[in-house]
């Protein structure tokens, strides 16, 4: 069964440094997402991406964050200047094929996440 | 956020059925009910979703109340691998992101 893959599995970065988290969504999916989960807390939506642009973003997704689909397979999340509070698990997800109909009727498929630790 | 209410935790004996309840009393007629679960140290995993009628797949069954104000996820035979946090998520029409609550932590007792 196709799956979403994320790299690296664990990233350790000094505060203030830029970090890029990478995801390879399921190949025929059209909608891409980033979520994060701070240790012991809920999974929180960050951003959704469709047709090469952001379709929705949460309050967490401020100017320090950006997303990109640099080629036909990768989907990246960049944090420009990391803060201690950015330490979390970051999950990528994808959903929706060309013929799949309403998005609310489509499951999202998640990767196993990147653990980001800011020192 | 589309709010759902779930018990914080539940226990089940291995190989017995488990019924995980969820209330979504203000759901509208075109909004889907999704269930995901999160095993320890893993990303959320899709389980099942439905609109009005009951749904079955290889993982579970979803029973939706006739008034759609509640639903129940049914695991027919719990295994140790089913120990996870189960999230009931109400997806509003036009929405394309999932709002996770605190879910129900299921413990499976050998």
């Amino acid at each position: 069964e196709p799956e979403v893959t994320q790299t690296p599995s664990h990233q350790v970065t000094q505060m203030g440094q830029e970090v890029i988290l990478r995801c390879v969504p399921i190949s025929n999916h059209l909608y891409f997402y980033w979520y994060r989960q701070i240790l012991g807390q809920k999974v929180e939506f960050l951003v959704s991406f469709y047709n090469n642009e952001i379709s929705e973003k949460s309050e967490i997704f401020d100017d320090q964050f950006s997303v990109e689909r640099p080629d036909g397979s990768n989907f990246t999340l960049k944090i420009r200047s990391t803060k201690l509070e950015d330490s979390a698990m970051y999950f990528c997800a994808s959903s929706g094929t060309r013929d799949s109909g309403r998005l609310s009727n489509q499951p999202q498929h998640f990767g196993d996440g990147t653990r980001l630790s800011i020192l | 956020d589309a709010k759902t209410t779930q018990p914080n935790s539940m226990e089940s004996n291995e190989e017995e059925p488990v019924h995980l309840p969820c209330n979504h009393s203000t759901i509208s007629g075109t909004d889907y009910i999704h269930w995901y679960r999160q095993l320890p140290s893993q990303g959320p995993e899709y389980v099942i979703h439905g609109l009005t009628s009951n749904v079955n797949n290889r993982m579970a069954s979803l029973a939706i109340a006739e008034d759609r104000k509640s639903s129940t996820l049914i695991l027919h035979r719990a295994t140790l691998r089913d120990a996870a946090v189960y999230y009931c998520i109400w997806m509003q029409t036009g929405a394309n992101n999932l709002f996770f609550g605190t879910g129900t932590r299921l413990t499976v007792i050998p």
Side-chain angles (χ1 to χ4, degrees), chain A residues 44-58:
Chain A
E44 301 173 288
F45 167 74
L46 292 179
V47 65
S48 58
F49 191 86
Y50 169 71
N51 201 25
N52 279 319
E53 60 184 28
I54 291 172
S55 50
E56 192 163 349
K57 60 183 181 179
S58 71

Side-chain angles (χ1 to χ4, degrees), chain A residues 27 31 76 80 98 109:
Chain A
S27 62
Y31 299 85
T76 62
R80 192 151 50 95
R98 200 165 298 281
H109 298 264

Side-chain angles (χ1 to χ4, degrees), chain A residues 81-100:
Chain A
S81 177
T82 50
K83 303 188 279 281
L84 292 176
E85 53 264 39
D86 294 326
S87 295
M89 284 291 292
Y90 287 81
F91 297 109
C92 172
S94 69
S95 72
T97 61
R98 200 165 298 281
D99 304 315
S100 55

Side-chain angles (χ1 to χ4, degrees), chain A residues 61-106:
Chain A
F61 194 88
D62 61 21
D63 292 344
Q64 295 297 317
F65 290 88
S66 62
V67 288
E68 193 178 31
R69 187 152 162 82
D71 53 42
S73 59
N74 290 286
F75 179 51
T76 62
L77 174 70
K78 183 193 292 187
I79 308 175
R80 192 151 50 95
S81 177
T82 50
K83 303 188 279 281
L84 292 176
E85 53 264 39
D86 294 326
S87 295
M89 284 291 292
Y90 287 81
F91 297 109
C92 172
S94 69
S95 72
T97 61
R98 200 165 298 281
D99 304 315
S100 55
R102 239 193 303 174
L103 265 183
S104 56
N105 189 20
Q106 300 306 316

Side-chain angles (χ1 to χ4, degrees), chain A residues 6-52:
Chain A
Q6 292 187 242
T7 55
S9 56
H10 190 189
Q11 173 82 45
V12 182
T13 301
Q14 291 286 334
M15 185 172 60
Q17 295 294 306
E18 174 183 286
V19 67
I20 297 176
L21 309 182
R22 302 179 193 279
C23 169
V24 179
I26 293 173
S27 62
N28 63 343
H29 280 179
L30 301 175
Y31 299 85
F32 314 110
Y33 313 84
W34 284 100
Y35 294 81
R36 81 171 185 190
Q37 186 174 31
I38 295 170
L39 185 64
Q41 297 188 24
K42 299 183 218 180
V43 177
E44 301 173 288
F45 167 74
L46 292 179
V47 65
S48 58
F49 191 86
Y50 169 71
N51 201 25
N52 279 319

Side-chain angles (χ1 to χ4, degrees), chain B residues 6-10 85 102-106:
Chain B
Q6 300 177 252
N8 288 332
S9 62
M10 290 184 66
V85 179
T102 52
T104 296
R105 182 174 297 279
L106 175 66

Side-chain angles (χ1 to χ4, degrees), chain A residues 1 31 33 35 37 42-43 45 48 55-56 91 102-108 110-112, chain B residues 30 32 34 36 38 42-44 46 49 58 87 91-93 95-98 100-102:
Chain A
E1 189 172 313
Y31 299 85
Y33 313 84
Y35 294 81
Q37 186 174 31
K42 299 183 218 180
V43 177
F45 167 74
S48 58
S55 50
E56 192 163 349
F91 297 109
R102 239 193 303 174
L103 265 183
S104 56
N105 189 20
Q106 300 306 316
Q108 293 186 15
F110 285 77
D112 277 336
Chain B
T30 56
Y32 282 83
H34 288 244
Y36 286 76
Q38 189 173 21
Q42 293 190 25
Y46 168 75
H49 77 287
R58 64 177 176 80
Y87 299 99
M91 241 182 132
Q92 293 177 298
T93 303
N96 69 348
N97 26 291
L98 299 168
F100 288 82
T102 52

